[in-house]
C-alpha cells in the first residue's frame, strides 16, 4: 500500500513541479517585458539628469560649505563665511522650516519617511529626529518624469540630501510637525540607500495601542522591536523617552553637585558578592574568578569612611535574577547616593526625597513636549507628587492595608500586589504617585541595616515608591564593626567573605545613610510605560543578550 | 425522647480480609457511667475528668487575666484602643474618659487598626480657606494634632506663607504615632476645597462650609437645640453663597442681615454675647469671618467691630496673618 502511495505522490509531485515551472516561465517572461519597457522610458530624453541620483559614498572627498575658518571668520575680521573650493552649502534643520523661511531655497538632509506617487507627482515626508515635513516633487520644466519615478522608488529610511523651495500652504498639514510649510523639491540625492525590506515599519512600531485594537492594524511585537533596535529607536516616541531619560540623569547630577556632593566611580569587578551571594554574575579573572558588582554599596561606604561626606555614583549594576517580569533587567543603570548625617538619619531621607522631587519638577517644567509625545503612544496619567513628600511609617501602611481588608502580620514584608494596592489607596487619599515608607521591620532588611534603638523589631530603613512600585531601598548603615559582625552572624552571612567590608569601619566611621534608584525604572514609572525594556536602549534580561 | 428499635444488630461479626490490621478503638464503646465491673474504664474516665477540671480552671484564669488587661488598657490608653468591647463600652457609658464631652473620634472617623487618623484637605492656594486654618488652631487645643502642609505637583509656585501655614516640617513625621490626628493640607489646583477621609468612605466632602461643619463637629462640647443648629447652618450657607460667591445685590442683602444680627441695639440680638449665634463661638462665626476677610469689601461699622473682636483670638489672628 505504501509503495503505491509513494509512486502516486511522486507522480503528483512531478505534476506540481511541472505547474511550478510553467508559472515561473510566465513570470520571467513578464519581467523581461517590463525591463524592456523601463529601458524604453529611460531612453527618452532625461533633461533633469543632474538633479537627482545616488551620491557616491561620502568618504570626505571634498569640503562642502565647511571649513575651520568659517567659524572664526575670514582674515579681514568680519564673520561672514568665505567661499571655498567646491560649493557653499549649509544644511537647514527640519525643525527650522517654518513661515519665516517662505520662498527660500534650502538644502536639507533627512530620512525619507514615506513616499506616495500619483502620476506626475510624488509626495514624500522627510523626517529628522522628532520633526518631519512634507515634500513634493512634480513634473515641470526642470523636473522630468524619470526624476519623479526615481524619487518614488527610493526605499524608506534612506538618508537623502534635498534642495527645495519652502512654500507656505493654505491648509495646515496635520500629519507633520512642520504644519505651515512644505518643501517643493528641485534636487534629490541619496546619501545612504536603505535596504528595501525593512524588518519593521516605523509607523507600525509607533502606533498607539488603542488604534491597533480599534482598527485592527498591524502591530510590532516587542521582541521584534528589541531585535531591530536600530530602527525602533528612530520612532518619535523612543526619541522622546530617551531624551527624557537623559534629562533624569542630568537633573540628578546637577542637583546633587549643587548641594555639595562629589561624584565617584566605583569598580564593577569585585571579589566578593556584596548583597547576598545568590544573584551575582561570575566572570573568569585570570586564574581565579571574580564577580560583577550588584551595587556600589561597599565602595560608597568606604568613600564615606574616607571623608568624602556626600557622594553619588552613576553606573551599571548587574543582578543575576532569573525573573522575566515587566520590571526586572539583569543590567541597569544605578543612581546611588550616600551621605553622612549629624544626629538622625531623617536628614538623609529628606535630602534624597528632595533630590527626587527636584527631578520630577525639572521633568515637569522642561520636558513637557517629550511627555506629551510619549503619551500619544502610551497613554498614562500625568505623574503627581507632593512637596514636601508624603512620609508614612510602615505600621501606618500596614494599617491602611488592613483597613482595606488585607491580612498581614506586623513583620511581613510588603508583597508586590500589596505594594500596588497600597499605592492605589494612597493615591486615592492624597493624590500622589510618590511617597516614602519609613521604619521597616528589621527582619526583612539586609544585615547592614541599623536597628531602631527604640524598638528592636524595626530598623532605620525606608523605601520610596512611584506609582505603587518600589524605586528606592535605603537605610541607615551600621557603622560600628562589632554591631556589624553581630548582625552578619545573625543573618548567617559568612564573615570571612565580608572581612574587608567590616575592616573599613575599624578606623573611625561617621554615621551615614543612603539609597539607590534605577534609572530605567524611574523613567518607566514617571512616564507610565508598561514595560521596563522600553526605557532601556539595549535591555538585558535572562533571555536577551543582543544587540 | 423516644426509643427507636435497633435497625441492625450491633454485634455483627464482620469477615475482615486478612490484609487489614486491627486498631484498638480510640473511644470506648461502653456506656459513659462508670460501671464498677470494668476496672480499666474507671481509670480512663477519672483521667478524663481530671483533664476537664484542669481545662476549666485554666479557662477561668484566662478570663480573669483578660478582664484585668482590658481594664488596664482603658485606664492607660484612653479611647481609641483597638478593642471591640472597649469601644462598645465607651459608647454606652458616656462618662468613661476625659475626651467624652465630644463624641469620640472613633465614632466619627471610623475604626482604625493602629494607624493615626489623617484628615486630608485639598485647597486652592488662590483662595485659601481661612475658616479651616482657624479650626485647625481650635483642634490643636483640644487634641494632639500634627499639621502638615504639602504642595501638589499641579501647583507651580506658591508663597512661603502658605507653604508653612500649619507650621509642620517634614522632620516631624518620625513621631506620627504619638498624635491622635493628623491634619494634612495639600495646596492643589482644585475648584472647591475638599476633605478626604479615607478610601472606605465614598467620595470627598466638598465645599469650605461643609468641611468647616465637619471639623467643628469634632470639637463640639454640647449639642445644640435644633433651632440654634439651623440658624448656624443658615449663616454658614449665607457666608459661602452670598458673601463669597454672590453678586452685589445678594452680598448687600446678606451684609444688611449680618449688621442687624450683630447690632447690640437691634431687636435680633437677645443675648449680650459677641458671637453671631448663641453665647459661644460656632462654626457660623468662623465661616462668616472667613468670607468677610476674603471678599475684602468695605464693612459697616458693627460688622467691622465684630471682625476686630474675632481677631483678638489667637487662632483668628494667625489665620489672618497668613492671608495678608
Amino acid at each position: 500500500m505504501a509503495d503505491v502511495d509513494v509512486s502516486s505522490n511522486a507522480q503528483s509531485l512531478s505534476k506540481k513541479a511541472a505547474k511550478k515551472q510553467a508559472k515561473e516561465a510566465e513570470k520571467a517572461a513578464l519581467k523581461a517585458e517590463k525591463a524592456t519597457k523601463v529601458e524604453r522610458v529611460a531612453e527618452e530624453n532625461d533633461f533633469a539628469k543632474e538633479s537627482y541620483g545616488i551620491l557616491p559614498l561620502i568618504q570626505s572627498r571634498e569640503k562642502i560649505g565647511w571649513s575651520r575658518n568659517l567659524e572664526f571668520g575670514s582674515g579681514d575680521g568680519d564673520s561672514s563665511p568665505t567661499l571655498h573650493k567646491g560649493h557653499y552649502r549649509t544644511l537647514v534643520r527640519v525643525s527650522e522650516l517654518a513661515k519665516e523661511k517662505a520662498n527660500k531655497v534650502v538644502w536639507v538632509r533627512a530620512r525619507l519617511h514615506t513616499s506616495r506617487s500619483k502620476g506626475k507627482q510624488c509626495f514624500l515626508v522627510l523626517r529628522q529626529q522628532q520633526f518631519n515635513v512634507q515634500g513634493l516633487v512634480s513634473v515641470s520644466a526642470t523636473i522630468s518624469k524619470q526624476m519623479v519615478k526615481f524619487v518614488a522608488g527610493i526605499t524608506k529610511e534612506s538618508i537623502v540630501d534635498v534642495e527645495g523651495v519652502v512654500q507656505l500652504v493654505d491648509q495646515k498639514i496635520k500629519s507633520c510637525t512642520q504644519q505651515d510649510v512644505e518643501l517643493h523639491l528641485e534636487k534629490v540625492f541619496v546619501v545612504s540607500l536603505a535596504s528595501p525590506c525593512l524588518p519593521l515599519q516605523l509607523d507600525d512600531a509607533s502606533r498607539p495601542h488603542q488604534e491597533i485594537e480599534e482598527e485592527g492594524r498591524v502591530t510590532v511585537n516587542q521582541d521584534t522591536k528589541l531585535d531591530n533596535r536600530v530602527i525602533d529607536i528612530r520612532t518619535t516616541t523612543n526619541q522622546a523617552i530617551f531624551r527624557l531619560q537623559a534629562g533624569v540623569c542630568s537633573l540628578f547630577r546637577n542637583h546633587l553637585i549643587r548641594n555639595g556632593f562629589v561624584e565617584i566611580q566605583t569598580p564593577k569587578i569585585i571579589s566578593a558578592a556584596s548583597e547576598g551571594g545568590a544573584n551575582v554574575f561570575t566572570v573568569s579573572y585570570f586564574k581565579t574568578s571574580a564577580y560583577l558588582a550588584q551595587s556600589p554599596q561597599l565602595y560608597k561606604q568606604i568613600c564615606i569612611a574616607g571623608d568624602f561626606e556626600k557622594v553619588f555614583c552613576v553606573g551599571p549594576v548587574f543582578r543575576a535574577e532569573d525573573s522575566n517580569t515587566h520590571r526586572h533587567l539583569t543590567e541597569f543603570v544605578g543612581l546611588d547616593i550616600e551621605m553622612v548625617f549629624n544626629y538622625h538619619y531623617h536628614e538623609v531621607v529628606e535630602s534624597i526625597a528632595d533630590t527626587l522631587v527636584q527631578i520630577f519638577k525639572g521633568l515637569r517644567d522642561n520636558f513637557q513636549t517629550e511627555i506629551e509625545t510619549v503619551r500619544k503612544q502610551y497613554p498614562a496619567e500625568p505623574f503627581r507628587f507632593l512637596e514636601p513628600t508624603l512620609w508614612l511609617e510602615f505600621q501606618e501602611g500596614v494599617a491602611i492595608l488592613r483597613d482595606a481588608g488585607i491580612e498581614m502580620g506586623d513583620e511581613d514584608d510588603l508583597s508586590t500586589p500589596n505594594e500596588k494596592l497600597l499605592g492605589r489607596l494612597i493615591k486615592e487619599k492624597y493624590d500622589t504617585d510618590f511617597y516614602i515608607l519609613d521604619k521597616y521591620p528589621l527582619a526583612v532588611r539586609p544585615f547592614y541595616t541599623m536597628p531602631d534603638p527604640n524598638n528592636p523589631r524595626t530598623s532605620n530603613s525606608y523605601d520610596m515608591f512611584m506609582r505603587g512600585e518600589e524605586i528606592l531601598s535605603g537605610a541607615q548603615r551600621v557603622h560600628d564593626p562589632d554591631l556589624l559582625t553581630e548582625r552578619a552572624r545573625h543573618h548567617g552571612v559568612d564573615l570571612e567573605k565580608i572581612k574587608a567590608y567590616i575592616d573599613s569601619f575599624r578606623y573611625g566611621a561617621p554615621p551615614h545613610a543612603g539609597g539607590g534608584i534605577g534609572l530605567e525604572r524611574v523613567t518607566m514609572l514617571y512616564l507610565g510605560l508598561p514595560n521596563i525594556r522600553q526605557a532601556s536602549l539595549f535591555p538585558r534580561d535572562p533571555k536577551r543578550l543582543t544587540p | 425522647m423516644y426509643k427507636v428499635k435497633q435497625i441492625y444488630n450491633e454485634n455483627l461479626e464482620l469477615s475482615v480480609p486478612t490484609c487489614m490490621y486491627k486498631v484498638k478503638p480510640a473511644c470506648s464503646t461502653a456506656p459513659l457511667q462508670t460501671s464498677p465491673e470494668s476496672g480499666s474504664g474507671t481509670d480512663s474516665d477519672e483521667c478524663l475528668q481530671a483533664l476537664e477540671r484542669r481545662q476549666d480552671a485554666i479557662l477561668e484564669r484566662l478570663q480573669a487575666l483578660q478582664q484585668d488587661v482590658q481594664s488596664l488598657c482603658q485606664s492607660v490608653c484612653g479611647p481609641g484602643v483597638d478593642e471591640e468591647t472597649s469601644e462598645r463600652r465607651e459608647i454606652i457609658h458616656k462618662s468613661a474618659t476625659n475626651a467624652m464631652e465630644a463624641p469620640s473620634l472613633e465614632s466619627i472617623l471610623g475604626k482604625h487598626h493602629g494607624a493615626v487618623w489623617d484628615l486630608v484637605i485639598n485647597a486652592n492656594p488662590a483662595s485659601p480657606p481661612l475658616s479651616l486654618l482657624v479650626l485647625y488652631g481650635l483642634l490643636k487645643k483640644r487634641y494632639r494634632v500634627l499639621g502638615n502642609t504639602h504642595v501638589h505637583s499641579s501647583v507651580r509656585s506658591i508663597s512661603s506663607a502658605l507653604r508653612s501655614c500649619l507650621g509642620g516640617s517634614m522632620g516631624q513625621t518620625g513621631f506620627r504615632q504619638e498624635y491622635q490626628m493628623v491634619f494634612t493640607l495639600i495646596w492643589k489646583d482644585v475648584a472647591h476645597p475638599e476633605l478626604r477621609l479615607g478610601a472606605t468612605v465614598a467620595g470627598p466632602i466638598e465645599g469650605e462650609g461643609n468641611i468647616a461643619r465637619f471639623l467643628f463637629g469634632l470639637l463640639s462640647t454640647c449639642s445644640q437645640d435644633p433651632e440654634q443648629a439651623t440658624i448656624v447652618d443658615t449663616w454658614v450657607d449665607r457666608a459661602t453663597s452670598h458673601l463669597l460667591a454672590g453678586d452685589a445685590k445678594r452680598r448687600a442683602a446678606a451684609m444688611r442681615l449680618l449688621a442687624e444680627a450683630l447690632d447690640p441695639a437691634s431687636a435680633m440680638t437677645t443675648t449680650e454675647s459677641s458671637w453671631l449665634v448663641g453665647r459661644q463661638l460656632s462654626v457660623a462665626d468662623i465661616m462668616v469671618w472667613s468670607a468677610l476677610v476674603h471678599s475684602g469689601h468695605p464693612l459697616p461699622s458693627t460688622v467691622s467691630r465684630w471682625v476686630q473682636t474675632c481677631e483678638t483670638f489667637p487662632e483668628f489672628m494667625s489665620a489672618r496673618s497668613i492671608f495678608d
Side-chain angles (χ1 to χ4, degrees), chain B:
Chain B
M1 289 175 71
Y2 56 91
K3 252 193 135 91
V4 179
K5 223 170 46 171
Q6 274 182 340
I7 298 171
Y8 55 85
N9 188 2
E10 71 175 15
N11 290 325
L12 207 52
E13 274 300 320
L14 292 167
S15 57
V16 181
T18 48
C19 59
M20 290 175 69
Y21 55 89
K22 257 189 136 97
V23 177
K24 239 180 25 176
C27 53
S28 112
T29 48
L32 279 176
Q33 289 87 22
T34 46
S35 44
E37 293 90 71
S38 49
S40 59
T42 327
D43 282 346
S44 63
D45 285 331
E46 268 182 19
C47 291
L48 262 171
Q49 280 188 348
L51 208 58
E52 275 183 39
R53 264 177 268 134
R54 266 178 62 203
Q55 188 185 39
D56 287 331
I58 293 176
L59 283 174
E60 264 174 60
R61 272 172 58 201
L62 272 175
Q63 278 277 50
L65 278 171
Q66 198 181 33
Q67 303 270 13
D68 287 339
V69 166
Q70 271 183 23
S71 54
L72 268 175
C73 275
Q74 281 279 41
S75 57
V76 167
C77 302
V81 171
D82 197 9
E83 269 285 297
E84 307 244 23
T85 45
S86 72
E87 179 188 55
R88 252 179 275 131
R89 237 182 270 151
E90 215 171 74
I91 294 176
I92 295 171
H93 309 291
K94 289 225 160 101
S95 54
T97 57
N98 51 3
M100 267 312 29
E101 291 168 327
S104 79
L105 278 178
E106 222 179 72
S107 62
I108 300 181
L109 294 173
K111 198 161 162 8
H112 76 127
H113 294 266
V116 62
W117 278 295
D118 200 339
L119 300 173
V120 179
I121 295 182
N122 298 328
N124 202 321
S127 56
L130 298 172
S131 54
L132 305 185
L133 297 173
V134 172
L135 282 161
Y136 168 70
L138 292 170
L139 275 171
K140 264 181 99 139
K141 289 208 294 205
R142 198 182 169 84
Y143 301 105
R144 294 191 311 268
V145 186
L146 171 65
N148 277 335
T149 333
H150 296 272
V151 177
H152 194 261
S153 56
S154 53
V155 172
R156 295 268 165 128
S157 66
I158 192 170
S159 75
S160 56
L162 286 178
R163 199 188 275 269
S164 52
C165 62
L166 296 186
S169 73
M170 229 175 133
Q172 275 190 11
T173 329
F175 312 99
R176 256 172 98 107
Q177 297 292 91
E178 295 175 12
Y179 293 89
Q180 283 173 297
M181 196 155 86
V182 181
F183 192 97
T184 305
L185 181 57
I186 301 181
W187 294 114
K188 190 173 161 185
D189 194 9
V190 277
H192 303 284
E194 51 182 40
L195 167 67
R196 283 180 186 268
L197 285 175
T200 44
V201 179
I205 298 177
E206 272 191 15
E208 194 182 338
N210 295 325
I211 304 178
R213 285 194 193 107
F214 174 80
L215 291 177
F216 200 80
L218 292 175
L219 288 172
S220 59
T221 51
C222 53
S223 58
Q224 297 165 315
D225 60 297
E227 188 193 322
Q228 279 220 327
T230 322
I231 299 181
V232 166
D233 270 342
T234 329
W235 275 115
V236 171
D237 282 336
R238 234 176 251 152
T240 38
S241 58
H242 294 222
L243 289 172
L244 265 180
D247 58 0
K249 218 165 63 159
R250 287 180 124 182
R251 216 181 316 126
M255 200 68 84
R256 237 178 300 125
L257 277 170
L258 186 57
E260 268 188 41
L262 291 173
D263 189 359
S266 93
M268 292 207 38
T269 49
T270 48
T271 63
E272 280 160 28
S273 87
S274 50
W275 297 117
L276 204 49
V277 184
R279 268 182 237 268
Q280 286 175 330
L281 173 67
S282 67
V283 64
D285 298 288
I286 303 175
M287 270 309 298
V288 170
W289 175 84
S290 159
L292 290 173
V293 169
H294 248 293
S295 59
H297 291 280
L299 308 167
S301 58
T302 42
V303 181
S304 61
R305 220 181 310 134
W306 174 77
V307 167
Q308 275 166 10
T309 332
C310 284
E311 285 174 11
T312 54
F313 290 88
E315 296 87 18
F316 287 87
M317 245 192 323
S318 55
R320 184 62 190 260
S321 63
I322 288 164
F323 183 72
D324 292 327

Side-chain angles (χ1 to χ4, degrees), chain A residues 271-324:
Chain A
S271 63
S274 46
E275 293 268 340
N279 304 328
V280 270
F281 287 114
T282 318
V283 287
S284 64
Y285 198 75
F286 303 108
K287 298 221 170 80
T288 56
S289 46
Y291 303 102
L292 291 179
Q294 285 172 313
S295 79
Q297 180 71 24
L298 167 60
Y299 299 97
K300 282 194 292 180
Q301 292 185 263
I302 295 181
C303 286
I304 295 288
D307 279 352
F308 277 97
E309 290 195 12
K310 298 185 194 178
V311 296
F312 72 97
C313 68
V314 177
V317 169
F318 303 95
R319 300 257 167 105
E321 263 181 56
D322 198 1
S323 332
N324 291 300

Side-chain angles (χ1 to χ4, degrees), chain A residues 61-123:
Chain A
R61 196 167 291 127
E62 49 175 354
K63 291 186 185 179
I64 302 183
W66 175 86
S67 140
R68 287 170 69 183
N69 287 342
L70 277 177
E71 297 186 31
F72 298 112
S74 60
D76 340 289
D78 68 295
S79 54
S80 59
T82 52
L83 278 174
H84 275 264
K85 196 163 56 145
H87 13 194
Y88 167 66
R89 187 194 300 174
T90 39
L91 298 179
V92 176
R93 306 289 299 174
V94 168
S95 48
E96 293 170 14
L97 295 176
K99 291 191 215 174
E100 299 82 42
K101 290 217 156 44
N103 301 322
K104 292 221 169 76
V105 178
V106 292
W107 275 95
V108 176
R109 174 174 295 179
R111 273 194 202 272
L112 184 70
H113 185 70
T114 47
S115 63
R116 193 177 74 233
S117 87
K118 268 187 184 169
K120 296 204 170 171
Q121 283 186 330
C122 179
F123 286 94

Side-chain angles (χ1 to χ4, degrees), chain A residues 346 350 353 364-365 383-393 396 399 402-403 425 428-431, chain B residues 111 113 115-116 118 120 149-153 155-156 163 170-171 173-174 176-177 186 188 196-197 199:
Chain A
H346 280 179
E350 274 188 40
R364 176 193 72 185
D365 296 337
F383 188 78
R384 303 203 188 112
F385 54 95
L386 296 175
E387 189 195 5
T389 313
L390 183 64
W391 191 339
L392 303 176
E393 287 197 10
E396 200 174 333
R402 283 195 185 133
D403 260 343
L425 293 169
E428 175 65 40
K429 183 153 183 180
Y430 300 89
D431 196 23
Chain B
K111 198 161 162 8
H113 294 266
V116 62
D118 200 339
V120 179
T149 333
H150 296 272
V151 177
H152 194 261
S153 56
V155 172
R156 295 268 165 128
R163 199 188 275 269
M170 229 175 133
T173 329
R176 256 172 98 107
Q177 297 292 91
I186 301 181
K188 190 173 161 185
R196 283 180 186 268
L197 285 175

